[in-house]
Amino acid sequence: MSAPLLEVEGLSTTIGAARVVDGVRLELARGETFALLGESGCGKSMTALSLMRLLPPAGRIEAGAVRLDGVDLLRLSEAEMRRVRGARLAMIFQEPQTSLNPVMRIGAQIAEAVRLHAGAAAAVDARVLELLRAVGIPDPERRAREYPHQLSGGMKQRVMIAMALAGDPELLIADEPTTALDVTIQAQVLGLLKTLQQQSGLAVLLITHDLGVVAETAERLAVMYAGEIVETATTAAFFAAPAHPYSRMLLESLPTADKRGARLAAIPGRVPPLDRAFTGCRFVERCPRALARCVEQLPPWHEAGAGHWVRCHLWDADLVDTATVAEPAVAEGEQVPVGEDAAPLLEVADLKVHFPIHRGVLRRVVGQVRAVDGVSLRLRPGRTLALVGESGCGKTTAGKALLQLIAPTAGSIRYQGHELAGLSHRRMRRFRKDLQIIFQDPHASMNPRMLVGDVIGEGLQALGLARTRPERLRRAAELLELVGMPGAAVERYPHEFSGGQRQRICIARALAVDPRVIVCDEPTSALDVSVQAQILNLLKDLQARLGLSYLFITHDLSVVAYLAHEVAVMYLGRVVEQGRVEEVLERPRHPYTRALLSAVPVADPRAERRTLRLEGDMPSPSAPPPGCHFHPRCPEARPECALAYPEGRAVSATHRVHCILVEAEG
Amino acid sequence: MGALLGRLGEAAASLLGVCTLVFLLIHLVPGDPVAAMLGEGARAVDQAELRAALGLDRPLWTQYLDYLGGLARLDLGVSLHSGRAVTALLAERAGPTLELAVAALALAVVVALPLGVLAALHQGGWIDRVAMGFSMLGAAIPNFWLGPLLILVCSLWLGWTPVSGRDGPLSLLLPALTLGTGLAAVLARMVRSSLLEVLGEDYVRTARAKGAGPARVLWRHALRNAWLPVLTLLGLQFGALLGGAVITETVFAWPGLGSLVVESIQARDYPLVQGAVLVIALAYLVVNTLTDLLYLALDPRIRSR
């Protein structure tokens, strides 16, 4: 290997009293993709910002060297550093929505980057269009004159990439570049990065929490935990045999189809605070194989294979034979066979939710957003029905309409034979006890000024199930124990808890009134994978113990594969395919379902390459394409597809598909 | 374009509402408005005469149509006190008020903008603390105290400026300073907090990641966004200034709308009160509509809504 492009040595960064990056060492070759992998708060983004010298005001680089082609960036003056930023070293960020200046045209923002680094001002406009074309933006002349809010999220990230490419950088730092995007759009953006890299020999430092993205894009990787790197390896070696207990637990906490029926390996506890000195391994408190020396001595680096290094005492010479021993297999949770043939508890037929679009002074109705446009579902007792789709497909609206939190425009929702659609608030109340909801963001869904006990007890009070406060608090404490929290938490405020703990509190709140159905609206998408595993385990346990039915709204197909019994795939307000999970995920028939499945990055570099990539964005639900809504993006579309929305065709007794290419079963 | 028309339509609707409310004002006076105008013990003949002169003896809706017709001809009736046309009196006073408002606003912007920007750029440093200390002081001092204090120091002790009245550009200085101080204080705070918020935004980080220097980041990226909330405040404050700063105009005997309102209320000159209220409301409406239109020009996100 020739001299590395980037060499980071002993990099330490503090924010206030916290040492968020501690002694990080990295090497990147030209043209290489290197992933820095870790959960939130591990210091991966701060490492990236340290390289760019763009830390937030309280941040300070305490020590280390960052050599780009042999020049230490940390020793440059700020003016010299500005000539490096955007020119030799460029960066794109997680949130394309907020990373572009909202009051500047796209073209002007790219032109700025071009001018800052091109010597002559000549041909700036031509260069802008060339860059927009290079990142695959159709009609670049028009787009250059538009403002960021007129572009979709995927387009904005392409613009960010165009801007980063403006100075012809040698290294691109991509900080969670696809985390805010839908999977089909993520596949587009990752594909674009790969293509650009092959064309220009760009090296990419990919910062991510997503093991699947790493497996599909990176050549080498490093795992960060609590501010330091604990393992570094080639991607193939890492996924074949992760060496650090933390890495191994991360992989085991991923939900997948083959873990159905088993509990996920959740990592107990939380990342230690970084404002103190460590005497031993930082992972020791959460490590199932911790030894006495792990508490007392800093673990040294050991070589676990060619180019595979790990910082762990289990690889000490006297223990190395046991280091690779797998953890004891997790106990098989028993499958709950209840409900497969039982009568549906909740039956939704042709549900529609349309939102009028108002225009002009008189607020006339000029159109309808067909958020949910004819959805039919059946939820049986003790079962989990997943409603899956990308953002804007109407899945959340459908969930809320089901609980009458949004008034449906048309359709029927029958709960145990009772029609819920159109019920008055008063008459709906008696069903509120049975039908509960858990929201996506556990930070925003609790009143910060209420004690946890009162948050949980509010439903009991509102429905008159527990009249006195002591009675409610006692019940709240029992519920907290049920979701694996100490009962004493009733006396504390929501902000005192971590994201995972708050989601447990939200689950306890939903359980307070002893419901039969819980609508779970993306309950784990704001959480790290190891915490997600805890919550998924808990939901599974509760279902087994209490016979709950879940309507599980999610965009994450691996969660569906792990948790759900039935699944309905939504696109633009309609269900395009539904059936039992094995049928839909293993033998998908609708082209959209197949594209969605092939876009999900798999945390296994040996997995077969994807073949289907969707072009373009999802159209607006206010003007869905005629005929089959999916046909403009469908790789298999035929002229007939534009004529009429396809009727549902039964592939089996339980599996229905809305696509004319699918032959109905005899 | 649609947004522009919509905004102008809204302004027109508000205008009609304002006119109607001002028309009804005279009928909201408890008891008989004519008796209230002439005072107790007026002769019945005089009352009847005034009632006929004001048209108060006719049905409400004819009065309303007459009133709107008058508005269309820019005829707001005649002042009871001086016998002159209300529009003429208002026109006389509007000039000085506009002059004072513009001067006060200009003073406030010239002081507050750099102060707020400097404070934000040196957040937590001594510049920030001094600037915000002055701002706190400026907001806390009432005009009825600051005005006389300025007169005492600048006019009586130093003899630099006239004590009161409107006589040459120098006479504008003290009232403008009095009004501008409080405004500058609020504005500086707003500029500071708005800029601080914008400087923490992702797109500012993006600009720095492109290699943009601090001046470019501030002028091209941060200030253009930080302006937007400041503009709203500015519009509201300017509207209020146009309404006539009653206390300041009284302290300095400034012949503006504010002092006219005080005089006309004291004289129970209802047509004049009505006219003054209409003009003040109108000024508010115009300034805020202009602010909104400016917003449309500056913020593309609102344009497409």
Side-chain angles (χ1 to χ4, degrees):
Chain A
M1 202 165 87
S2 59
L5 173 67
L6 178 79
E7 267 183 287
V8 179
E9 249 175 73
L11 180 70
S12 294
T13 300
T14 54
I15 291 187
R19 186 168 288 266
V20 291
V21 178
D22 199 1
V24 162
R25 190 180 169 285
L26 292 174
E27 263 185 32
L28 245 88
R30 280 169 208 286
E32 183 184 32
T33 300
F34 186 93
L36 199 52
L37 176 72
E39 296 187 286
S40 46
C42 71
K44 57 191 192 301
S45 287
M46 286 304 149
T47 303
L49 292 173
S50 301
L51 302 190
M52 291 289 282
R53 288 178 48 189
L54 282 179
L55 288 168
R60 235 177 77 86
I61 299 173
E62 300 284 342
V66 176
R67 278 188 288 276
L68 186 66
D69 239 351
V71 178
D72 188 353
L73 300 183
L74 302 185
R75 289 167 175 273
L76 297 182
S77 71
E78 176 58 27
E80 288 168 326
M81 187 64 203
R82 278 205 291 280
R83 285 197 289 278
V84 174
R85 271 186 218 127
R88 308 189 56 196
L89 183 60
M91 183 161 178
I92 58 174
F93 302 94
Q94 173 169 2
E95 278 293 339
Q97 307 291 353
T98 54
S99 293
L100 290 167
N101 188 334
V103 304
M104 266 172 96
R105 292 178 203 273
I106 298 300
Q109 300 196 43
I110 299 174
E112 183 180 37
V114 173
R115 276 197 202 95
L116 279 166
H117 300 292
V124 171
D125 292 347
R127 174 78 174 135
V128 168
L129 296 181
E130 182 193 324
L131 285 166
L132 282 172
R133 250 174 240 125
V135 296
I137 288 191
D139 200 358
E141 286 86 359
R142 181 168 67 88
R143 290 300 185 186
R145 289 192 304 272
E146 289 190 336
Y147 288 95
H149 71 273
Q150 292 165 293
L151 272 61
S152 68
M155 291 275 225
K156 279 183 218 171
Q157 198 58 296
R158 285 170 190 265
V159 170
M160 287 295 292
I161 295 172
M163 229 150 63
L165 294 178
D168 270 327
E170 292 149 272
L171 172 62
L172 176 69
I173 303 177
D175 187 359
E176 302 268 11
T178 56
T179 306
L181 305 175
D182 278 317
V183 283
T184 59
I185 308 299
Q186 162 168 291
Q188 292 174 3
V189 171
L190 292 178
L192 171 67
L193 281 175
K194 186 121 268 181
T195 313
L196 291 169
Q197 202 176 3
Q198 280 159 1
Q199 287 167 358
S200 63
L202 182 72
V204 174
L205 177 60
L206 179 73
I207 313 283
T208 184
H209 72 282
D210 189 326
L211 289 155
V213 169
V214 173
E216 293 209 348
T217 57
E219 284 131 35
R220 290 193 306 133
L221 62 87
V223 179
M224 273 192 95
Y225 182 79
E228 61 177 21
I229 291 180
V230 295
E231 178 166 4
T232 178
T234 63
T235 305
F238 176 82
F239 284 95
H244 198 281
Y246 172 66
S247 313
R248 226 176 292 162
M249 290 178 85
L250 267 186
L251 274 167
E252 281 164 9
S253 65
L254 282 181
T256 52
D258 52 20
K259 292 180 193 153
R260 283 178 73 87
R263 290 175 61 80
L264 295 170
I267 305 179
R270 56 206 287 190
V271 181
L274 298 178
D275 53 1
R276 59 172 164 104
F278 291 94
T279 53
C281 173
R282 296 175 188 210
F283 189 58
V284 64
E285 290 155 20
R286 306 173 72 185
C287 184
R289 304 186 62 195
L291 307 165
R293 68 181 87 163
C294 300
V295 183
E296 292 148 12
Q297 301 162 26
L298 292 172
W301 280 103
H302 289 289
E303 190 163 18
H308 188 166
W309 293 84
V310 59
R311 184 180 283 192
C312 176
H313 280 300
L314 292 173
W315 293 81
D316 289 352
D318 56 324
L319 293 171
V320 69
D321 299 340
T322 64
T324 49
V325 173
E327 265 92 60
V330 280
E332 291 275 311
E334 77 277 39
Q335 278 281 45
V336 200
V338 293
E340 178 137 22
D341 306 310
L345 196 57
L346 194 65
E347 208 167 0
V348 178
D350 207 21
L351 180 70
K352 290 183 180 172
V353 184
H354 294 180
F355 298 108
I357 308 169
H358 297 281
R359 280 273 158 74
V361 187
L362 301 175
R363 318 304 296 158
R364 271 171 304 134
V365 176
V366 295
Q368 300 282 340
V369 176
R370 298 161 180 272
V372 178
D373 202 21
V375 163
S376 301
L377 302 167
R378 281 175 172 189
L379 181 58
R380 293 176 209 281
R383 308 277 285 181
T384 299
L385 167 63
L387 197 53
V388 59
E390 297 181 279
S391 45
C393 74
K395 55 191 192 297
T396 292
T397 308
K400 287 187 175 164
L402 210 121
L403 298 186
Q404 305 290 306
L405 296 175
I406 299 176
T409 311
S412 125
I413 301 152
R414 298 184 80 81
Y415 172 70
Q416 291 187 319
H418 302 279
E419 179 61 55
L420 301 185
L423 279 191
S424 66
H425 283 289
R426 201 174 50 80
R427 301 190 53 192
M428 184 62 205
R429 272 179 72 152
R430 97 181 156 93
F431 298 106
R432 292 261 177 248
K433 188 188 132 351
D434 285 8
L435 307 165
Q436 286 292 312
I437 186 164
I438 307 167
F439 297 100
Q440 172 171 359
D441 187 348
H443 297 265
S445 53
M446 274 187 280
N447 185 337
R449 301 198 164 216
M450 277 169 80
L451 289 172
V452 165
D454 293 324
V455 169
I456 298 172
E458 203 174 17
L460 293 171
Q461 185 178 17
L463 296 178
L465 299 173
R467 301 265 175 214
T468 66
R469 186 158 181 270
E471 198 182 337
R472 288 195 294 274
L473 289 184
R474 198 171 341 107
R475 181 83 186 109
E478 285 169 21
L479 287 159
L480 283 169
E481 306 270 355
L482 182 68
V483 298
M485 298 261 298
V490 292
E491 300 285 354
R492 294 165 67 185
Y493 285 98
H495 72 260
E496 298 175 54
F497 298 94
S498 69
Q501 289 173 319
R502 279 190 230 203
Q503 200 56 294
R504 287 175 191 268
I505 296 172
C506 290
I507 294 171
R509 170 174 66 180
L511 291 176
V513 293
D514 207 1
R516 303 205 47 197
V517 176
I518 299 182
V519 174
C520 306
D521 189 0
E522 302 260 16
T524 60
S525 13
L527 306 174
D528 277 320
V529 292
S530 64
V531 182
Q532 163 172 290
Q534 297 172 9
I535 298 297
L536 293 180
N537 283 339
L538 173 65
L539 287 172
K540 231 173 176 166
D541 291 347
L542 291 171
Q543 183 164 57
R545 283 173 64 179
L546 308 172
L548 296 170
S549 307
Y550 297 136
L551 179 72
F552 200 94
I553 298 168
T554 183
H555 69 280
D556 188 335
L557 286 162
S558 6
V559 173
V560 175
Y562 171 71
L563 191 74
H565 302 102
E566 281 100 27
V567 57
V569 181
M570 278 186 83
Y571 186 79
L572 268 190
R574 299 196 184 184
V575 172
V576 296
E577 177 161 9
Q578 60 186 318
R580 286 186 294 131
V581 164
E582 315 84 81
E583 293 174 324
V584 175
L585 299 192
E586 282 160 31
R587 295 180 298 280
R589 301 298 296 271
H590 198 285
Y592 177 64
T593 314
R594 274 188 266 163
L596 204 58
L597 279 164
S598 70
V600 178
V602 182
D604 180 0
R606 290 161 309 175
E608 56 191 282
R609 303 302 304 165
R610 70 171 67 106
T611 47
L612 275 168
R613 185 171 298 157
L614 290 184
E615 299 303 323
D617 289 308
M618 195 189 288
S620 159
S622 62
C628 169
H629 292 346
F630 184 60
H631 85 265
R633 295 176 77 195
C634 181
E636 295 168 54
R638 297 177 185 175
E640 313 81 283
C641 292
L643 299 179
Y645 195 85
E647 288 297 308
R649 287 145 206 256
V651 181
S652 77
T654 47
H655 189 178
R656 282 175 81 77
V657 185
H658 290 260
C659 178
I660 58 166
L661 300 173
V662 172
E663 293 295 322
E665 196 181 61
Chain B
M1 202 53 212
L4 183 75
L5 287 177
R7 190 63 196 86
L8 290 177
E10 274 171 36
S14 316
L15 183 63
L16 186 69
V18 165
C19 293
T20 309
L21 278 178
V22 170
F23 164 74
L24 291 172
L25 195 67
I26 204 162
H27 299 279
L28 293 177
V29 176
D32 182 5
V34 171
M37 284 179 221
L38 292 179
E40 282 168 40
R43 288 185 305 158
V45 192
D46 293 338
Q47 286 194 354
E49 196 184 336
L50 181 63
R51 189 166 288 122
L54 294 174
L56 291 174
D57 50 350
R58 285 176 297 151
L60 197 63
W61 64 272
T62 28
Q63 287 182 47
Y64 182 57
L65 288 182
D66 278 354
Y67 169 78
L68 288 183
L71 280 184
R73 296 189 309 273
L74 289 182
D75 175 7
L76 292 175
V78 173
S79 159
L80 298 181
H81 194 64
S82 65
R84 296 177 58 203
V86 169
T87 42
L89 283 168
L90 290 172
E92 244 167 49
R93 299 297 191 98
T97 284
L98 189 64
E99 197 178 285
L100 181 57
V102 170
L105 194 75
L107 211 68
V109 170
V110 166
V111 173
L113 219 54
L115 207 63
V117 170
L118 278 177
L121 293 181
H122 299 95
Q123 189 194 4
W126 66 268
I127 296 184
D128 186 21
R129 269 175 276 161
V130 170
M132 287 306 105
F134 271 118
S135 151
M136 181 74 88
L137 205 65
I141 295 175
N143 289 352
F144 61 78
W145 187 80
L146 182 61
L149 181 77
L150 287 173
I151 294 175
L152 186 70
V153 176
C154 299
S155 310
L156 300 182
W157 292 355
L158 300 170
W160 288 350
T161 54
V163 174
S164 67
R166 176 165 172 266
D167 181 23
L170 218 51
S171 65
L172 182 60
L173 188 65
L174 294 192
L177 211 57
T178 309
L179 276 179
T181 303
L183 190 53
V186 184
L187 215 55
R189 268 175 192 272
M190 187 81 183
V191 169
R192 175 183 179 271
S193 66
S194 176
L195 185 56
L196 276 179
E197 194 180 318
V198 169
L199 285 175
E201 292 282 351
D202 289 349
Y203 54 81
V204 167
R205 187 179 57 188
T206 304
R208 294 179 63 205
K210 282 187 211 174
R216 174 175 276 273
V217 167
L218 181 66
W219 288 103
R220 297 255 308 168
H221 295 276
L223 279 181
R224 279 171 74 170
N225 284 284
W227 250 121
L228 297 172
V230 175
L231 202 65
T232 310
L233 178 76
L234 219 56
L236 284 171
Q237 296 283 352
F238 189 57
L241 285 180
L242 283 181
V246 175
I247 292 172
T248 307
E249 287 190 3
T250 310
V251 168
F252 289 94
W254 189 261
L257 284 173
S259 44
L260 182 71
V261 169
V262 175
E263 289 160 26
S264 59
I265 289 174
Q266 279 168 353
R268 293 178 183 173
D269 194 340
Y270 279 78
L272 193 53
V273 174
Q274 228 175 3
V277 170
L278 188 66
V279 166
I280 289 168
L282 207 65
Y284 234 98
L285 197 66
V286 168
V287 168
N288 280 301
T289 306
L290 284 178
T291 311
D292 285 358
L293 295 184
L294 210 54
Y295 236 104
L296 281 179
L298 290 178
D299 193 341
R301 285 165 296 184
I302 299 176
R303 231 175 290 160
S304 61
R305 227 177 265 154

